[in-house]
Structures are given as structure tokens and as C-alpha cells.
């Protein structure tokens, strides 16, 4: 657990605006045994130049042969991953430096398949909003029914056990472009 490889999945389509900051938030993790699987879904902007400007062997750049839905693109990126754990970071999101380090210990319990954390939504026209308030933490344990009733996960907070993920009959639904993680 203390030296497990974490595969960070970053899907990109014309995401140059915040890309450098997103990649730096992975590089600046206190936990350093990670690989960044960067899936370029046929970008026509400077995304490829930005990611390739990083001279870090842990960053693995893949250019899609053809554009695909976000669900399909996430699956293709996952297929390139070698980590025991999978985490997701979109190109317009950031992680705090201890994100990976703080989530990994929960996987000591072999029944744990997914670990989420809090998130802060921010942006030019958005007042910062914390997803889970102190008095209203997310449910824990076996929460499938609660997820069906009210979806409360933000994908950039997710870390999954690849062992648990491999038990599923499919990953992201390739038909979906927007709600693929909800599915």
C-alpha cells in the first residue's frame, strides 16, 4: 500500500486553458508513485504541446486515432493504466497536494473499492462551494441505494481499486458524453 502505483486518468479535448495547472497539481502530490495517463481525444488546440512540455517520465501521452465519447475515452485511458489504483482528474480541475496520500490508507480494508473526498467548486462566475458541509458528510459503507436516490460523487475526488473495477462487466458507458460517471 505504501508504494502502490496510482494511475491518474486525465482525458482531454481542447483543454489548454487550465491544463498546465491540472498537471502541476498531480506533479505536486506528496505521494509520488503515480503515472498520469493523458488521453488526448483529438485536440486541435495546444493541449498536446502543453502536456509534452513536461519532462516527467510518469506522464504518458496517448493520442486517440479518432474522436470518441467521453465514456469511451475514459475506458481507453483506463486500458493503458498499470496502477493498482485509479484516480480521475479532468483538465479543468485541481487536486490539493495530499489528495492521493490521504485516500490510499482507506484501501487497507480489502472490501473498500472506492474512496471519495470533499471538493470545492470554483470558477470565474461561481462563488466557491464546498460539496460536503461539516454537518453533512457523504454516506459511508455500502451506499449503492443512497447513490441511486441522490448522486453525490464528484469524479475528480474518486480513487478506485483496480481489482474491484475489474469485477464489473463494463466500465463507463460509451454512449454517454456528460453523465458517464453517474452511470
Amino acid at each position: 500500500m505504501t508504494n502502490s502505483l496510482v494511475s491518474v486518468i486525465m482525458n482531454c479535448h481542447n483543454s489548454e486553458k487550465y491544463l498546465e495547472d491540472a498537471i502541476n497539481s498531480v506533479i505536486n502530490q506528496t505521494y509520488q508513485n503515480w503515472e498520469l495517463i493523458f488521453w488526448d481525444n483529438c485536440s486541435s488546440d495546444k493541449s498536446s504541446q502543453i502536456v509534452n512540455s513536461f519532462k516527467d517520465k510518469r506522464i504518458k501521452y496517448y493520442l486517440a486515432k479518432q474522436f470518441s465519447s467521453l465514456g469511451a475515452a475514459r475506458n481507453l485511458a483506463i486500458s493503458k493504466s498499470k496502477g493498482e489504483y485509479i484516480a480521475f482528474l479532468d483538465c479543468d480541475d485541481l487536486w490539493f497536494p495530499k489528495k492521493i496520500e490521504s485516500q490510499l490508507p482507506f484501501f487497507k480494508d480489502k472490501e473498500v473499492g472506492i474512496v471519495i473526498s470533499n471538493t470545492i467548486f470554483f470558477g470565474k462566475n461561481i462563488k466557491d462551494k464546498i460539496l460536503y458541509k461539516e454537518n453533512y458528510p457523504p454516506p459511508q459503507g455500502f451506499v449503492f441505494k443512497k447513490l441511486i436516490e441522490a448522486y453525490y460523487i464528484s469524479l475528480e475526488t474518486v480513487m478506485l481499486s483496480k481489482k474491484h473495477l475489474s469485477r464489473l462487466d463494463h466500465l463507463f458507458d460509451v454512449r454517454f458524453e456528460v453523465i458517464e460517471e453517474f452511470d
Side-chain angles (χ1 to χ4, degrees):
M1 178 82 46
T2 58
N3 203 29
S4 299
L5 180 63
V6 176
S7 296
V8 180
I9 305 299
M10 185 177 281
N11 291 90
C12 176
H13 179 72
N14 295 334
S15 302
E16 69 183 21
K17 187 171 183 179
Y18 303 108
L19 184 54
E20 186 175 348
D21 291 334
I23 293 171
N24 275 323
S25 78
V26 176
I27 290 171
N28 293 329
Q29 289 296 299
T30 54
Y31 187 85
Q32 289 288 301
N33 193 20
W34 51 262
E35 65 175 356
L36 175 59
I37 306 298
F38 187 90
W39 189 266
D40 186 343
N41 200 3
C42 300
S43 296
S44 59
D45 66 358
K46 294 180 180 174
S47 294
S48 66
Q49 293 169 309
I50 293 168
V51 72
N52 287 314
S53 72
F54 288 89
K55 303 302 179 206
D56 191 316
K57 293 179 182 179
R58 298 172 296 178
I59 299 174
K60 312 223 171 35
Y61 176 84
Y62 297 94
L63 177 60
K65 292 179 180 164
Q66 62 185 29
F67 181 82
S68 60
S69 69
L70 186 53
R74 289 198 198 281
N75 292 342
L76 290 164
I78 290 170
S79 75
K80 301 294 185 185
S81 68
K82 295 187 175 24
E84 189 176 342
Y85 301 98
I86 306 284
F88 299 92
L89 182 64
D90 286 338
C91 298
D92 60 350
D93 294 324
L94 304 171
W95 283 348
F96 286 118
K98 292 187 175 187
K99 190 250 195 234
I100 295 174
E101 177 186 339
S102 63
Q103 287 184 300
L104 270 178
F106 290 95
F107 290 104
K108 287 179 183 171
D109 180 340
K110 298 300 179 193
E111 290 193 34
V112 171
I114 181 173
V115 176
I116 63 171
S117 64
N118 208 345
T119 190
I120 301 170
F121 298 107
F122 64 94
K124 184 177 178 182
N125 297 321
I126 301 171
K127 185 178 181 218
D128 291 359
K129 177 186 172 215
I130 297 173
L131 184 60
Y132 310 121
K133 304 291 189 230
E134 197 171 318
N135 297 344
Y136 299 100
Q140 296 181 16
F142 295 96
V143 296
F144 182 75
K145 184 178 181 207
K146 290 178 180 161
L147 277 171
I148 294 298
E149 293 169 357
Y151 184 71
Y152 57 84
I153 295 176
S154 192
L155 189 63
E156 77 281 355
T157 76
V158 170
M159 186 180 293
L160 300 166
S161 160
K162 197 169 186 182
K163 175 181 75 174
H164 283 81
L165 194 61
S166 68
R167 294 179 186 168
L168 301 176
D169 61 359
H170 71 282
L171 300 176
F172 291 99
D173 193 318
V174 300
R175 297 173 298 169
F176 297 133
E177 182 66 36
V178 177
I179 61 166
E180 83 292 340
E181 78 268 14
F182 178 77
D183 175 68

